[in-house]
Amino acid sequence: QVQLQESGPGLVKPSQTLSLTCTVSGASITTNNYYWNWIRQPPGKGLEWMGVIAFSGSTYYIPSLKSRTSISRDTSKNQFILQLSSVTPEDTAVYYCARSFSTGIYEYDYWGQGTQVTVSS
């Protein structure tokens, strides 16, 4: 029932800001005890967790990306948004949004299908 869908540009030029939107249906992003994450997978590499916005609006980012990552939300549209500034070709990846929760053990229950983002001039 819960669905997440990523949207945004597939091609971004170096030094620009990448903006991706995750649209959620079947659940509210403000529902207590759920967390809304951005995760990416560069070609040939594993999944890399980027950051999260909690049901309360609190945000957390991986230290290596913290200086240029921002996650926000639009509760009226039930969306959360990733902004990654000063992109380089190293940011080329499939980007996913996903929901998580904790029952003592932190886990994900729903994922978007992913969207390919290529950074190139």
Side-chain angles (χ1 to χ4, degrees), residues 4-12 18-23 38-43 50 82 91-97 111-119:
L4 292 78
Q5 183 171 300
E6 305 89 349
S7 61
L11 181 65
V12 184
L18 168 66
S19 182
L20 296 175
T21 297
C22 184
T23 300
W38 285 101
I39 301 144
R40 68 181 183 180
Q41 185 170 35
M50 300 179 69
L82 170 71
D91 294 310
T92 294
V94 177
Y95 285 75
Y96 299 91
C97 54
W111 292 70
Q113 66 182 18
T115 186
Q116 172 69 47
V117 176
T118 300
V119 180

Side-chain angles (χ1 to χ4, degrees), residues 34-121:
Y34 287 96
Y35 302 82
W36 306 91
N37 305 265
W38 285 101
I39 301 144
R40 68 181 183 180
Q41 185 170 35
K45 298 183 179 179
L47 295 169
E48 178 185 33
W49 181 83
M50 300 179 69
V52 61
I53 186 163
F55 58 93
S56 63
S58 298
T59 56
Y60 307 88
Y61 309 107
I62 191 171
S64 62
L65 295 174
K66 183 171 63 178
S67 66
R68 58 190 186 99
T69 303
S70 177
I71 300 175
S72 59
R73 66 183 183 176
D74 185 338
T75 57
S76 70
K77 297 180 179 179
N78 211 36
Q79 296 175 328
F80 62 105
I81 300 100
L82 170 71
Q83 292 187 299
L84 182 66
S85 65
S86 303
V87 299
T88 74
E90 298 299 314
D91 294 310
T92 294
V94 177
Y95 285 75
Y96 299 91
C97 54
R99 189 176 80 165
S100 62
F101 66 100
S102 179
T103 55
I105 302 174
Y106 185 73
E107 58 186 303
Y108 300 95
D109 57 359
Y110 291 95
W111 292 70
Q113 66 182 18
T115 186
Q116 172 69 47
V117 176
T118 300
V119 180
S120 177
S121 60

